[in-house]
């Protein structure tokens, strides 16, 4: 209401009736001297109370007015007094309390008085022996009147509630239900005693004896009316802080919404607000964190689909930059807040997981849920079971599979209400696609309550995916910025036109004067295409290889005008300074030449810190052009005005339609550009291939369970038996019938059925000592062969170890026990080198020999134990013939161990990369892979008692490999978005612990830390708060578990 006035109900007609009743009662008492109550009058069915009129009082002096003041003989107090008098009258005389047994407790007359400020309704509920006697004698006539009056008084005002949000209407509805429960408590729970006027604890009955004496001496008795008057007087005298009424009302709305969230335990959907069932605060946070104040029409249509309301699985597909992620996030918030269930979000890459954790941590802190990261070596398996808050698990494909396995094993898969899969087309991508299929199939088989939402920009055979996921499908061609596709052949640029005969329509000729030397250096006219948009607009140039990225960046800079250097000169110098600090005083020579022009390259050869800083500079406009590989298209979102594809190849392979769509999808920035452009540079020889590429359908998504020598299906069947999802051949076959593989029978080998393939795989697992048969005979007639997992099989699936390497790992660990060298970490590093990285290693034999000769005697002994002698390395370095062959896998594995050993000693990727003559990106990839594999080996050893000695050793090694920094920086690097360079800045500025960072002021961080934007500061603080809350919750859960009384105490 305007002016912050307070609405007070005036029921004058009823007040007059009550006053008349009071006068009548007084006359009867004067004449008879008795306590007989006045006769109550029942309301007829056709009789209605007069509609109370609303008045607005802006004064804070007296909110009760003349008639509502409790200082006089008000209607409330009169009603309470009359009811008390009736109860006392019903007692046959006052008992002699001195003659009562001292063990007998005399119960005072008690009432549960509930005041509702929003309706000014008082619900009165009486209990006690006196009340029960009166009710039994008088048939509850008076109570019926009170209930009937209360029912009329409690009638909501539709006009005043009409404009309120759904969450408030729900709150008032709950209040009405509670009121009705309070009014019926005399009939349902007459023997229950409640404290009298809890708000006034300083007064009331002191003990049983004083209560008895008060009843025996009416002249000195303190009546219920007096108690109520004293309580209300005390409340009225309580000082109220000077806070604006609008602020109080706003806080009340939020607190009511949050209160309903906390009290909701029903897993079914509960509408708690006007924003798609969510509180209004969610809409405010979207504006605060994302700048989003309105949803697109397609987003509204998708969120209101009937299939979502019925909790059916859903697949939806839109072009890149269409806003798919926002829909998923709103569905996630609905599950966490409205349905009170945990959520799993599966993303394809570690960088995207970290970005999403940082983006959602702010929502978690404001709305009261946890955001947990599961990527690399991060994430607890199984997750902690939270009692107070719900969790959003943000995971990579591999970590998501491990998480689901642990939930199934602990019987908690039902706690998972929603699974969201981004880039659903990853189902058809190699071994990672097989892992994703396994994860989704297990969820479908083990949980009927978990909803699956899949989204992608590039889906073709949707019918197969719908059948696999039992899902509905929604699609839309909406794109916030129009995308124009072009193809460049020689000097001509053609627009992609489906109506044209050959699919291409001539658009224009390139107008750029090339000298003969420039034409030779830039035959594809990249400089002409780039200079049309930069530096005013941004541009991405996708190149086939990493080396080509660096060459193209340097070539463009050579022929750009020197005027480009003058733009944002200070910001570019700061960027170069940051990159130098990140690399511990070293700067890549290529970046040193290109950054002053606003150009940089971006590929996996850079470290994570370098890539992140370059991405930030590009997003803020310091850099206007990036030359990059195709991995950028599938990674973080970096849109551009123009996207140029240097060639229709990725490495040596011709471009796929899915890859093409992802790359050109980066063109056009919503809210900045009116249109986006993509230009594909084509040689004349590839013209027909490109025409087929542009108009061909997207590649179909096929199951990958049988790829790589049946690697996927072997792992799947092993885990099914290990998790006891299926324990015999028939149950395993039934599970296989719900997989994507079963939906696509064309993938089966010739003349073989799904049953045949399943039985063959089971035989292979038994032959390799991963499964075994166990005969269970309950009777002679019932004899069944059950499958049982072996200890080696258990360790393999628990550690997520590739079945192709499990025997080799077991043999290496067994051999290590015979002579494990703990004086140094080289031997442990050798054992944790990932087997799949060995094939990517090509040793530089001179470097190999130099590093070998610098090893300590103990470390050289480790090399001898694993089977690589110094003489062998020396002969290889000098080019001599080797008579005695040595296993190349062992040699390469030891070489990679040398790289990690140098990295742990120096903590400087740049120096190590230079020493071993390899890229910084390869060094970091090796470090990340070794960290993950070390964690897998740890879980592998935990399942085999013979390897108990490795448990403590690998725990510490995994931690060192995960961060590879000084110990004091590790707590800071646990925070999402904080890498080594940023951790050093924070530590040097005094933010040395997680608590320091969680309680930091983002504005102070911006002023203290160089080149830190406000959005980055807010994300870092939110992530630190979320991590601190997770740790505190975990400790609290542990304390409660320790203090819980066992149920099976003998």
């Amino acid at each position: 209401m305007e002016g912050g006035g307070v609405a007070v109900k005036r029921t004058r007609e009823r007040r007059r009736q009550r006053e008349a009743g009071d006068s009548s009662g007084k006359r009867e008492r004067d004449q008879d001297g008795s306590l007989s109550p006045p006769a109550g009058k029942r309301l007829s069915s056709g009789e209605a109370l007069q509609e109370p009129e609303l008045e607005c009082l802006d004064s804070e002096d007296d909110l009760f007015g003349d008639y509502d003041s409790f200082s006089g003989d008000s209607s409330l107090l009169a009603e309470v007094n009359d009811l008390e008098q009736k109860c006392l009258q019903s007692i046959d005389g006052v008992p002699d309390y001195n003659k009562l047994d001292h063990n007998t407790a005399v119960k005072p007359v008690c009432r549960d008085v509930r005041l509702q400020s929003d309706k000014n309704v008082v619900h009165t509920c009486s209990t006690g022996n006196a009340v029960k006697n009166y009710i039994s004698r008088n048939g509850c006539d008076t109570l019926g009147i009170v209930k009937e009056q209360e029912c009329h008084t409690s009638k909501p005002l539709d006009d005043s509630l009409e404009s309120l949000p759904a969450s408030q209407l729900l709150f008032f509805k709950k209040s009405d239900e509670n009121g009705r429960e309070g009014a019926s408590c005399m009939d349902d729970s007459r023997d229950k005693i409640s404290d009298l006027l809890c708000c006034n604890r300083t007064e009331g009955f002191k003990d049983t004896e004083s209560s008895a004496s008060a009843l025996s001496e009416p002249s000195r008795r303190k009546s219920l009316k007096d108690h109520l008057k004293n309580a209300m007087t005390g409340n009225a005298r309580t000082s109220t802080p000077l806070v604006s009424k609008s602020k109080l009302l706003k806080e009340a709305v939020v607190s009511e919404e949050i209160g309903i969230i906390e009290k909701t335990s029903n897993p079914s959907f509960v509408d708690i607000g006007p924003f798609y069932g969510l509180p209004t605060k969610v809409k405010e946070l979207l504006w605060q964190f994302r700048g989003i104040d309105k949803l697109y029409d397609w987003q509204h249509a998708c969120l209101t689909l009937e299939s979502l309301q019925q909790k059916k699985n859903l697949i939806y597909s839109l072009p890149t930059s269409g806003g798919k992620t926002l829909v998923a996030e709103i569905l996630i918030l609905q599950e966490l807040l409205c349905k009170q269930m945990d959520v799993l979000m599966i993303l394809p890459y570690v960088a995207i997981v970290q970005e999403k954790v940082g983006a959602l941590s702010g929502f978690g802190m404001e709305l009261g849920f946890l955001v947990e990261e599961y990527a690399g070596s991060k994430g607890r398996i199984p997750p902690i079971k939270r009692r107070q808050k719900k969790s959003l698990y943000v995971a990579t494909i591999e970590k998501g599979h491990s998480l689901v396995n642990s939930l199934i094993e602990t019987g908690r898969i039902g706690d998972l209400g929603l699974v969201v899969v981004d880039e659903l087309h990853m189902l058809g991508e190699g071994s990672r696609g097989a892992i994703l299929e396994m994860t989704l199939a297990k969820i479908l088989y083990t949980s009927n309550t978990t909803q699956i939402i899949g989204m992608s920009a590039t889906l073709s055979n949707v019918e197969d995916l719908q059948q696999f996921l039992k899902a509905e499908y929604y699609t839309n061609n909406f794109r916030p910025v129009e995308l124009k596709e072009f193809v460049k052949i020689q000097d001509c640029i053609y627009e992609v036109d489906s109506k044209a005969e050959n699919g291409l329509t001539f658009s224009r000729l390139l107008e750029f004067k090339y000298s003969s030397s420039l034409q030779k250096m830039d035959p594809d006219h990249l400089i002409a295409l780039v200079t049309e948009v930069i530096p005013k607009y941004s541009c991405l140039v996708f190149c086939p290889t990493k080396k080509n990225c660096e060459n193209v960046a340097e070539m463009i800079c050579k022929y750009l005008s020197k005027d480009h250097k003058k733009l944002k000169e200070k910001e570019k110098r700061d960027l170069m300074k940051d990159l130098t600090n990140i690399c511990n005083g070293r700067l890549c020579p290529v970046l040193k030449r290109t950054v002053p022009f606003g150009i940089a390259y971006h590929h996996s050869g850079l470290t994570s810190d370098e890539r992140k800083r370059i991405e930030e500079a590009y997003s803020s406009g310091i850099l206007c052009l990036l030359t990059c590989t195709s991995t950028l298209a599938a990674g973080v979102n970096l849109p551009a005005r123009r996207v140029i594809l240097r060639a229709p190849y990725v490495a040596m392979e011709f471009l796929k339609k899915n890859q093409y769509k992802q790359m050109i999808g980066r063109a056009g920035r919503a809210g900045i550009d009116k249109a986006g452009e993509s230009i594909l540079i084509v040689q004349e020889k590839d013209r027909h291939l490109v025409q087929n590429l542009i108009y061909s359908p997207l590649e179909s998504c096929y199951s990958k369970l049988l790829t790589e020598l049946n690697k996927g299906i072997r792992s799947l069947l092993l885990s099914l038996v290990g998790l006891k999802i299926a324990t015999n051949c028939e149950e395993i076959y039934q599970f296989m019938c719900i997989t994507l593989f079963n939906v696509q029978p064309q993938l089966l080998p010739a003349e073989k059925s799904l049953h045949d393939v399943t039985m063959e795989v089971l035989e292979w697992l038994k032959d390799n000592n991963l499964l075994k048969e166990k005969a269970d005979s309950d009777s002679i007639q019932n004899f069944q062969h059950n499958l049982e997992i072996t200890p080696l099989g258990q360790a393999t699936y628990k550690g997520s170890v590739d079945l192709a390497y499990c025997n080799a790992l077991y043999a290496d660990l067994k051999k290590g026990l015979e002579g494990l060298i703990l004086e140094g970490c080289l031997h442990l590093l050798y054992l944790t080198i990932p087997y799949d990285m060995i094939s990517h290693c090509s040793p530089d034999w001179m470097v190999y020999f130099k590093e070998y000769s610098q090893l300590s005697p103990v470390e050289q002994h480790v090399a001898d134990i694993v089977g690589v002698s110094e003489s062998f390395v020396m002969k290889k370095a000098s080019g001599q013939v080797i008579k005695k062959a040595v296993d190349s896998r062992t040699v390469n594995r030891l070489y990679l161990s040398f790289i990690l050993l140098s990295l742990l000693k120096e903590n400087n990727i740049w120096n190590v990369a230079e020493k071993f003559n390899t890229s910084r990106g390869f060094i970091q990839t090796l470090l990340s892979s070794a960290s993950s594999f070390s964690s897998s080996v740890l879980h592998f050893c935990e399942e085999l008692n013979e390897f108990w000695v490795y448990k403590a050793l690998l725990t510490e090694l995994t931690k060192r490999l995960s961060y590879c920094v000084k110990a004091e920086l590790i707590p800071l690097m646990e925070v999402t978005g904080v890498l080594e360079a940023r951790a050093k800045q924070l530590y040097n500025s005094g933010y040395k612990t997680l608590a320091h960072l969680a309680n930091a002021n983002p504005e102070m961080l911006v002023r203290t830390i160089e080149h830190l934007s406000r959005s980055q500061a807010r994300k870092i603080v939110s992530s630190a708060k979320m991590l601190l809350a997770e740790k505190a919750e975990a400790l609290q859960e542990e304390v409660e578990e320790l203090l819980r009384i066992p149920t099976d105490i003998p």
Side-chain angles (χ1 to χ4, degrees):
M1 303 184 69
E2 294 182 3
V6 180
V8 181
K9 290 184 179 178
R10 310 293 190 188
T11 52
R12 293 188 173 88
E13 185 65 28
R14 196 180 330 158
R15 187 182 302 109
R16 294 192 194 100
Q17 294 175 2
R18 287 173 177 165
E19 288 175 352
D22 291 344
S23 301
S24 172
K26 184 176 180 181
R27 285 193 298 271
E28 290 180 17
R29 285 193 298 272
D30 290 342
Q31 292 172 4
D32 303 333
S34 66
L35 296 174
S36 300
K41 179 181 179 182
R42 289 189 178 274
L43 295 174
S44 64
S45 59
E47 202 170 347
L49 290 175
Q50 182 176 345
E51 182 72 14
E53 54 182 300
L54 294 175
E55 296 181 7
C56 227
L57 300 178
D58 291 325
S59 172
E60 297 181 2
D61 296 336
D62 185 8
L63 295 180
F64 295 93
D66 294 331
Y67 293 97
D68 286 296
S69 174
F70 58 82
S71 60
D73 192 14
S74 67
S75 58
L76 169 64
L77 297 178
E79 183 179 345
V80 171
N81 191 64
D82 287 345
L83 188 56
E84 184 184 25
Q85 297 299 329
K86 293 172 186 176
C87 295
L88 293 174
Q89 178 66 24
S90 65
I91 302 174
D92 297 329
V94 180
D96 187 357
Y97 292 98
N98 295 324
K99 297 181 180 179
L100 290 177
D101 183 64
H102 291 289
N103 295 327
T104 304
V106 179
K107 301 180 180 179
V109 179
C110 299
R111 298 175 203 200
D112 182 13
V113 181
R114 185 167 182 253
L115 301 176
Q116 292 187 355
S117 59
D118 52 82
K119 298 182 181 180
N120 201 24
V121 178
V122 178
H123 301 279
T124 306
C125 178
S126 304
T127 60
N129 294 330
V131 177
K132 287 194 285 184
N133 291 337
Y134 176 75
I135 290 172
S136 62
R137 294 182 184 183
N138 296 278
C140 298
D141 290 341
T142 306
L143 179 62
I145 297 173
V146 173
K147 284 184 180 179
E148 205 163 335
Q149 288 178 348
E150 180 184 14
C151 180
H152 284 80
T153 309
S154 302
K155 183 178 180 180
L157 294 175
D158 295 336
D159 295 338
S160 61
L161 300 180
E162 199 170 18
S163 61
L164 291 177
S167 59
Q168 298 301 95
L169 295 175
L170 178 61
F171 178 79
F172 289 147
K173 181 180 178 182
K174 287 180 174 292
S175 300
D176 290 338
E177 292 173 356
N178 292 335
R180 288 193 293 271
E181 291 173 4
S184 62
C185 68
M186 289 185 66
D187 297 322
D188 300 333
S189 306
R190 293 174 181 172
D191 295 330
K192 295 183 179 179
I193 307 302
S194 60
D195 294 335
L196 174 64
L197 295 175
C198 298
C199 59
N200 188 20
R201 296 183 182 276
T202 58
E203 302 208 11
F205 303 108
K206 295 184 178 180
D207 51 31
T208 306
E209 185 178 352
S210 60
S211 301
S213 61
L215 286 171
S216 61
E217 300 180 48
S219 61
R220 290 187 297 134
R221 179 177 56 84
K222 204 170 195 178
S223 68
L224 179 61
K225 173 180 174 181
D226 295 330
H227 279 291
L228 186 56
K229 287 172 66 176
N230 290 337
M232 297 177 72
T233 303
N235 291 339
R237 289 173 179 172
T238 303
S239 59
T240 304
L242 297 176
V243 184
S244 65
K245 295 178 182 177
S246 60
K247 183 177 180 181
L248 287 174
L249 290 173
K250 186 176 181 180
E251 290 178 353
V253 170
V254 174
S255 64
E256 288 164 3
E257 292 172 345
I258 298 300
I260 294 176
I261 296 173
E262 293 175 347
K263 292 178 181 178
T264 303
S265 58
N266 191 343
S268 61
F269 185 88
V270 178
D271 185 345
I272 58 174
F275 185 68
Y276 300 99
L278 293 166
T280 52
K281 189 166 187 177
V282 172
K283 190 173 183 180
E284 295 171 1
L285 292 175
L286 284 174
W287 170 252
Q288 178 183 342
F289 295 149
R290 309 279 180 81
I292 298 173
D293 61 346
K294 185 180 179 182
L295 269 61
Y296 297 128
D297 291 341
W298 84 263
Q299 291 172 329
H300 173 75
C302 186
L303 287 168
T304 53
L305 287 174
E306 185 66 25
S307 57
L308 287 180
Q309 311 306 319
Q310 297 174 2
K311 205 174 172 60
K312 293 182 179 179
N313 297 342
L314 176 69
I315 300 171
Y316 64 99
S317 176
L318 278 95
T320 304
S321 303
K324 299 184 295 296
T325 304
L326 179 59
V327 170
E329 290 174 350
I330 291 176
L331 293 174
I332 287 171
L333 293 177
Q334 287 179 348
E335 195 71 29
L336 290 165
L337 303 181
C338 303
K339 302 176 186 176
Q340 290 289 292
M341 300 289 281
D342 294 330
V343 177
L344 169 62
M345 188 177 196
I346 299 177
L347 301 171
Y349 303 110
V350 174
I352 305 178
V353 168
Q354 293 173 343
E355 183 184 33
K356 187 59 64 179
V357 169
L360 293 177
S361 291
F363 287 89
M365 292 306 302
E366 294 290 337
L367 299 172
F369 61 87
L370 299 175
V371 182
E372 302 185 39
E373 178 183 346
Y374 281 78
S377 59
K378 291 186 177 180
R380 182 166 176 172
I381 302 290
I384 299 173
K385 184 175 178 60
R386 315 284 184 181
R387 291 184 179 85
Q388 302 297 327
K389 295 183 178 180
K390 296 303 173 183
S391 293
L392 166 60
Y393 310 113
V394 186
T396 57
I397 293 173
E398 295 79 7
K399 277 290 187 178
H401 183 227
S402 298
L403 181 67
V404 168
N405 280 346
S406 68
L407 291 175
I408 294 173
E409 186 175 26
T410 56
R412 292 165 49 195
I413 190 65
D415 294 344
L416 207 58
L418 175 66
V419 175
V420 175
V421 182
D422 194 8
E423 309 296 353
L424 187 62
H425 62 269
M426 292 290 292
L427 276 167
E429 308 236 341
S431 59
R432 305 190 78 215
I435 294 174
L436 183 57
E437 181 180 348
M438 288 187 260
T439 304
L440 296 177
K442 288 174 183 176
I443 293 171
L444 289 168
Y445 193 83
T446 59
S447 176
N448 295 324
T449 59
T450 304
Q451 184 181 23
I452 297 176
I453 305 292
M455 54 180 172
S456 176
T458 55
L459 286 178
S460 178
N461 55 333
V462 180
E463 295 79 8
D464 287 353
L465 301 181
Q466 280 186 266
Q467 187 177 345
F468 166 46
L469 296 177
K470 303 177 179 61
E472 303 288 327
Y473 179 58
Y474 177 87
T475 186
N476 196 302
N477 292 323
F478 172 81
R479 206 174 187 280
V481 178
E482 181 187 3
L483 173 62
K484 296 181 180 179
E485 297 180 47
F486 297 94
V487 174
K488 176 192 167 297
I489 304 175
Q490 296 180 353
D491 291 343
C492 300
I493 295 180
Y494 301 87
E495 185 172 1
V496 175
D497 184 3
S498 58
K499 298 178 182 178
E501 184 177 351
N502 60 356
L504 299 174
T505 302
F506 177 78
S507 177
R508 63 187 175 94
L509 281 172
L510 273 178
E511 297 180 0
F512 190 87
K513 294 182 180 180
Y514 269 77
S515 63
S516 58
S517 60
L518 183 57
Q519 179 69 32
K520 188 177 181 180
M521 290 293 297
D522 184 23
D524 296 326
H525 308 105
L526 267 175
I527 296 174
L529 295 174
V530 164
T531 52
E532 288 178 348
V533 290
I534 67 167
K536 186 177 180 179
Y537 301 106
S538 58
C539 182
L540 293 175
V541 179
F542 285 100
C543 302
T545 64
K546 291 183 283 187
K547 188 62 179 175
N548 192 235
C549 288
E550 300 176 25
N551 293 338
V552 168
E554 286 198 281
M555 184 267 292
I556 292 174
C557 291
K558 285 181 182 178
Y559 294 96
L560 281 182
S561 167
K562 303 299 180 183
D563 294 337
H564 285 79
K565 285 188 172 184
K566 299 178 182 178
L567 299 172
K568 299 186 177 180
E569 194 171 358
K570 180 182 180 301
E571 289 86 345
K572 292 173 184 174
R573 284 200 305 268
D574 291 339
L575 173 60
M576 293 176 68
K577 183 180 176 182
D578 281 354
L579 291 172
T580 303
N581 292 334
I582 287 171
C583 298
N584 294 311
R586 308 289 292 275
L587 179 62
C588 172
V590 177
L591 293 176
K592 189 175 183 179
R593 290 190 289 269
T594 62
V595 168
F597 289 91
I599 297 173
Y601 68 88
H602 184 289
H603 58 60
S604 60
L606 295 169
T607 65
S608 299
D609 285 347
E610 289 174 300
R611 287 199 300 269
K612 189 174 184 64
R613 186 67 187 93
I614 288 172
E615 290 164 6
E616 292 171 357
Y618 177 82
S619 299
S620 62
I622 299 173
L623 298 176
C624 58
L625 185 146
L626 293 181
T627 59
C628 50
T629 55
S630 60
T631 54
L632 181 69
V636 293
N637 187 20
L638 296 176
R641 173 66 175 268
R642 176 176 288 180
V643 170
I644 301 172
L645 279 68
R646 173 75 173 75
Y649 291 90
V650 174
M652 300 300 292
E653 295 183 4
F654 194 79
L655 199 63
K656 296 179 181 178
K657 184 61 177 284
N658 289 347
Q659 294 171 323
Y660 172 73
K661 281 292 186 182
Q662 282 188 326
M663 291 180 189
I664 68 172
R666 297 302 181 192
R669 297 169 297 175
I672 301 176
D673 300 325
K674 294 182 179 179
E677 300 173 346
S678 71
I679 300 177
L680 173 59
I681 299 175
V682 180
Q683 304 300 322
E684 189 64 42
K685 64 182 179 67
D686 294 326
R687 181 168 186 156
H688 294 294
L689 291 175
V690 168
Q691 287 177 338
N692 293 334
L693 169 71
I694 293 174
Y695 289 104
S696 65
L698 294 166
E699 287 82 12
S700 294
C701 184
Y702 292 115
S703 171
K704 297 299 178 182
L705 288 180
L706 288 190
T707 58
E708 301 182 31
L709 302 174
N710 298 339
K711 174 181 172 182
I713 192 171
R714 289 173 180 175
S715 297
L716 173 59
L717 299 194
L718 179 65
S719 63
L720 290 181
V721 179
L723 293 169
K724 296 181 173 58
I725 295 175
T727 56
N728 58 57
C729 298
E730 186 59 32
E731 290 176 350
I732 289 174
Y733 175 69
Q734 289 175 2
F735 182 95
M736 290 301 300
C737 290
I738 70 161
T739 60
L740 177 62
F741 179 57
N742 180 59
V743 176
Q744 299 168 331
Q746 66 270 28
L747 301 178
L748 287 167
E751 299 181 359
K752 286 187 179 180
S753 65
L754 177 63
H755 188 273
D756 295 335
V757 173
T758 303
M759 294 304 109
E760 285 181 6
V761 173
L762 287 175
E763 287 301 319
W764 184 91
L765 292 172
K766 286 186 281 187
D767 292 342
N768 285 269
N769 193 32
L770 297 172
L771 290 180
K772 63 181 180 180
E773 285 189 357
K774 183 182 69 173
D776 289 338
S777 54
D778 298 333
S779 62
I780 298 175
Q781 291 80 14
N782 183 18
F783 184 83
Q784 183 179 15
H785 289 281
N786 283 343
L787 293 171
E788 186 178 45
I789 196 167
T790 64
L792 177 60
Q794 181 85 356
T796 301
Y797 103 82
K798 279 290 190 72
S800 300
V801 177
D802 193 326
L803 269 63
Y805 306 127
C806 63
N807 287 313
L809 176 61
Y810 180 84
D812 287 339
L813 292 172
K814 190 75 173 176
K815 185 178 179 181
L817 288 178
E818 297 173 3
L820 186 62
I821 307 298
L822 297 179
E823 191 176 341
C825 58
L826 180 60
H827 203 165
L828 281 175
L829 287 173
Y830 175 83
L831 294 173
T832 56
I833 293 296
Y835 292 95
D836 55 356
M837 288 289 295
I838 297 174
S839 59
H840 300 290
C841 176
S842 298
D844 184 321
W845 291 106
M846 290 302 297
V847 174
Y848 204 152
F849 177 69
K850 182 180 178 180
E851 289 299 310
Y852 197 113
S853 61
Q854 292 177 355
L855 294 176
S856 67
V858 173
E859 291 168 340
Q860 286 188 2
H861 183 48
V862 172
D864 290 334
I865 289 176
V866 301
V868 181
S869 64
E870 185 177 9
S871 61
F872 169 80
V873 177
M874 182 182 66
K875 288 179 181 180
K876 291 291 290 185
S878 60
Q880 298 180 30
V881 179
I882 307 296
K883 295 181 180 179
K884 186 178 179 181
V886 179
D887 186 3
S888 61
R889 295 176 63 85
T890 302
V891 173
N892 291 357
R893 199 174 180 194
L894 183 63
Y895 185 74
L896 294 175
S897 304
F898 286 175
I899 295 177
L900 289 181
L901 182 64
S902 296
L903 194 57
L904 290 180
K905 288 179 178 179
E906 297 188 29
N907 295 329
N908 190 327
I909 289 180
W910 186 282
N911 292 343
V912 175
E914 197 172 62
K915 179 189 296 185
F916 287 88
N917 195 24
T918 187
S919 69
R920 304 184 298 283
F922 176 79
I923 300 294
Q924 190 160 60
T925 301
L926 173 62
L927 180 64
S928 176
S929 299
S931 172
S932 297
F933 188 64
S934 176
S935 178
S936 294
V937 175
L938 173 60
H939 292 301
F940 183 91
C941 294
E942 286 175 343
E943 299 300 321
L944 298 170
N945 293 330
E946 57 192 302
F947 296 144
W948 64 269
V949 70
Y950 287 113
K951 296 178 186 177
L953 298 173
L954 290 174
T955 300
E956 185 61 29
L957 182 65
T958 302
K959 192 173 183 180
R960 290 186 65 186
L961 290 173
S962 298
Y963 302 105
C964 196
V965 294
K966 294 180 179 179
E968 60 265 22
L969 297 181
I970 290 178
L972 298 177
M973 290 191 65
E974 290 179 344
V975 178
T976 301
V978 176
L979 299 175
E980 183 180 0
R982 188 72 77 197
K984 289 179 179 177
Q985 284 182 307
L986 292 167
Y987 188 85
N988 294 333
S989 298
Y991 300 97
K992 299 184 177 183
T993 65
L994 184 61
H996 286 150
L997 209 51
N999 292 282
N1001 184 344
E1003 293 298 326
M1004 183 63 70
L1005 278 180
V1006 172
R1007 291 194 293 269
T1008 306
I1009 307 300
E1010 291 185 357
H1011 318 307
L1012 182 67
S1013 67
R1014 282 180 173 79
S1015 61
Q1016 292 166 351
R1018 285 196 294 266
K1019 284 183 180 180
I1020 287 174
V1021 173
S1022 295
S1023 298
K1025 287 181 177 178
M1026 180 59 65
L1027 185 58
L1028 197 63
E1030 287 178 21
K1031 290 178 179 289
E1033 287 278 338
L1035 291 173
Q1036 184 62 36
E1037 297 286 345
E1038 188 175 349
V1039 169
E1040 292 181 5
E1041 187 67 29
L1042 288 172
L1043 297 178
R1044 186 176 294 109
I1045 300 174
T1047 57
D1048 56 349
I1049 297 177

